[in-house]
Amino acid sequence: MSSVARPSTGVRRRPPALYGDLLAPGASCGAYLVEALLGRGGWARVYLARHRILRRAAAVKVLAHELAADTRAYQRFVWEARAASRIAHDGIVEIFDVGRLPDGRPFLVME
């Protein structure tokens, strides 16, 4: 197999991590690796991710960067995770995990 040299674009490729407010494919959220952005709103971004070992698919919800320093927004995010984790119902997503990204933003991992 031969390799073809690609012309330089002058843009350095970043490792899988943060692209501004968005997580790049391959970014780590605890034991999960981001695959793609599923949706976004003013409150949070939601990503498709897979567990590193189990390969189980999950949705990862990450609080929007501009709200991460807001104590009330953080408390509401954590309250939402705790409330949802207490309910076992077909209409409520199951919470698998919670954590913080290296930049301090909280995330929760859902079914």
Side-chain angles (χ1 to χ4, degrees):
M1 181 170 163
S2 65
S3 65
V4 177
R6 295 184 183 179
S8 174
T9 61
V11 177
R12 292 187 63 191
R13 187 170 172 205
R14 296 183 190 184
L18 299 172
Y19 285 149
D21 191 31
L22 299 178
L23 296 176
S28 178
C29 292
Y32 292 81
L33 295 176
V34 169
E35 291 187 352
L37 177 68
L38 293 175
R40 67 173 121 180
W43 170 250
R45 313 303 179 248
V46 180
Y47 300 89
L48 171 63
R50 288 203 183 272
H51 191 278
R52 293 173 193 269
I53 297 168
L54 303 175
R55 303 301 299 150
R56 179 182 189 177
V60 176
K61 185 175 187 177
V62 180
L63 186 64
H65 196 273
E66 61 272 13
L67 297 174
D70 182 336
T71 303
R72 290 183 63 183
Y74 171 75
Q75 289 172 342
R76 181 175 170 206
F77 192 83
V78 170
W79 176 86
E80 177 185 324
R82 286 180 179 157
S85 71
R86 290 185 189 122
I87 302 169
H89 187 276
D90 290 343
I92 305 293
V93 297
E94 182 180 351
I95 305 296
F96 296 146
D97 197 7
V98 295
R100 282 191 178 265
L101 297 175
D103 68 1
R105 286 185 289 166
F107 67 86
L108 55 95
V109 182
M110 309 173 283
E111 65 179 321

